[in-house]
Amino acid sequence: MIFKNEASEILRKDPRKVTAGEAHDIYKIFYDKSRESPCF
Amino acid sequence: MKKLNPTVGGDKQFETLNDAFDAWYDAVWKRVRQGAKDGNFLYTVPLSAYSMLKAKRYIRNVLKELPDYKLFVPMQEKDIETVSFDISQKWGNEEIASDRYGAVRLNINFDDLCLFSCTDRAGVVLSWMRWKKEDPYEYEYLISYTPPKCYGIVGKLEYLAEKGVLPVGMMTDSLDRSYIAFHEKDRDIVTRVMSIPDEMIEDGTSVIKNAYDERALIKSIQKSIETSKSFVAVFVQSVMKRREEPDDSWLEIER
């Protein structure tokens, strides 16, 4: 699965080492998830 | 680089993702708490709609420490000519909004601006700006309906506009605080006007009559705005006069 293989890998990185592209991806996934999850 | 796509799975996968984000934003908050003020990691911070996920407590802390602007409405389009942004929207090429930290940047040096809080009347300020930019339908938002008269802030902005002092724009930050921005060179006159309590202006403003048609209603609203502006002028003049009259009480003590 994409999340397990890649997203979780990036999310475990040291924040100082995240690239602009990875930052964009993290934000985008979070943004989409927060909109499809009214239960939290 | 590889493109990531959000996965939509069952509750367990969602929980796992939720936990991963919780850990990520915890790490981001720790960096900010240690004094970091820039870095790519900050661009992962959402400015709104983050309350649905576990990480909200860390995100809220980051935004309290490093608030950012999520909306900027310039009075003149030229002020946003070189704005760079990615995930943001434009309405009529005049208003810019963003949900992502660091996405909106202005071509205006913040040192050249003075900001005045307008959180309570942000919608009225926005409508006034649109109205000044010749959107006649915005007039109804300049009016309080209990009692029916124009808001005090409208009289203040009209008075300043008559003096040639227009705001640079209005902005709202990630903590939902709104500000109206003026050029630093106008600070004195704007401070003088903005320090007048809105209630004092509204008390002296004429009530809008129930008009039988739209034209009559607009005329009545214009009259209310005019009286509001006049009241601001009277107040400002009285303050100026008081400043000009020397207080000679100390001279009597000397004698």
Side-chain angles (χ1 to χ4, degrees):
Chain A
M1 270 178 64
I2 292 168
F3 160 65
K4 283 184 179 170
N5 294 344
E6 294 172 313
S8 63
E9 199 179 304
I10 296 173
L11 288 169
R12 271 192 236 108
K13 277 181 105 170
D14 181 334
R16 286 170 293 188
K17 292 174 182 165
V18 167
T19 66
E22 288 169 337
H24 176 82
D25 286 342
I26 291 172
Y27 167 77
K28 191 73 177 71
I29 296 170
F30 186 89
Y31 183 86
D32 291 342
K33 274 290 167 195
S34 66
R35 271 159 178 73
E36 67 185 48
S37 56
C39 52
F40 279 89
Chain B
M1 75 165 278
K2 289 175 187 174
K3 190 75 190 162
L4 297 178
N5 292 310
T7 54
V8 180
D11 286 348
K12 197 177 172 191
Q13 278 136 357
F14 187 86
E15 283 288 352
T16 311
L17 187 56
N18 203 10
D19 288 343
F21 277 123
D22 194 45
W24 169 258
Y25 287 107
D26 180 18
V28 169
W29 165 231
K30 277 179 183 150
R31 287 289 306 141
V32 171
R33 201 170 50 187
Q34 286 163 7
K37 290 195 166 124
D38 50 32
N40 289 329
F41 67 92
L42 277 177
Y43 301 136
T44 67
V45 176
L47 299 179
S48 57
Y50 52 81
S51 58
M52 297 302 171
L53 294 164
K54 257 168 90 176
K56 62 188 173 191
R57 61 191 187 280
Y58 300 121
I59 295 169
R60 203 175 290 131
N61 285 342
V62 170
L63 294 176
K64 274 184 192 163
E65 192 70 26
L66 299 174
D68 192 17
Y69 293 104
K70 62 181 181 181
L71 173 70
F72 189 85
V73 186
M75 194 72 202
Q76 295 176 0
E77 278 187 61
K78 68 179 176 61
D79 291 331
I80 56 165
E81 254 175 359
T82 59
V83 165
S84 64
F85 58 93
D86 47 20
I87 301 172
S88 56
Q89 301 114 27
K90 278 180 166 185
W91 292 283
N93 292 324
E94 291 179 349
E95 298 173 20
I96 289 181
S98 171
D99 286 325
R100 180 177 168 187
Y101 193 94
V104 175
R105 284 292 172 262
L106 309 172
N107 189 27
I108 304 170
N109 186 346
F110 267 74
D111 292 340
D112 295 334
L113 298 178
C114 55
L115 304 184
F116 293 83
S117 174
C118 68
T119 305
D120 294 344
R121 291 283 177 262
V124 180
V125 171
L126 188 56
S127 291
W128 179 84
M129 288 170 61
R130 287 175 179 161
W131 183 62
K132 288 310 262 190
K133 288 192 264 188
E134 295 180 4
D135 183 351
Y137 298 105
E138 288 291 331
Y139 69 81
E140 62 182 291
Y141 302 110
L142 308 178
I143 306 304
S144 154
Y145 285 92
T146 51
K149 47 173 68 176
C150 93
Y151 287 106
I153 185 73
V154 175
K156 293 178 185 180
L157 293 170
E158 281 292 299
Y159 173 83
L160 288 167
E162 194 177 71
K163 299 284 176 194
V165 178
L166 284 171
V168 176
M170 195 203 85
M171 48 257 260
T172 301
D173 72 13
S174 46
L175 300 175
D176 287 323
R177 298 174 300 192
S178 293
Y179 303 91
I180 184 162
F182 289 87
H183 288 291
E184 179 59 36
K185 66 180 172 59
D186 298 322
R187 179 185 286 274
D188 285 350
I189 185 169
V190 178
T191 304
R192 212 173 296 144
V193 170
M194 288 298 175
S195 64
I196 306 168
D198 280 6
E199 300 74 31
M200 286 184 70
I201 302 166
E202 287 160 13
D203 283 349
T205 303
S206 65
V207 173
I208 295 159
K209 291 173 190 161
N210 283 329
Y212 49 89
D213 67 19
E214 196 175 351
R215 191 182 293 178
L217 178 66
I218 290 173
K219 205 172 171 185
S220 186
I221 289 171
Q222 282 170 341
K223 192 181 168 195
S224 186
I225 292 172
E226 277 301 314
T227 56
S228 177
K229 184 174 72 178
S230 306
F231 197 78
V232 174
V234 168
F235 196 91
V236 171
Q237 279 162 12
S238 69
V239 171
M240 293 290 283
K241 201 174 172 190
R242 248 184 286 148
R243 282 187 183 177
E244 284 164 12
E245 285 171 0
D247 179 1
D248 57 359
S249 54
W250 65 277
L251 290 173
E252 287 173 22
I253 294 166
E254 285 293 307
R255 274 188 234 122

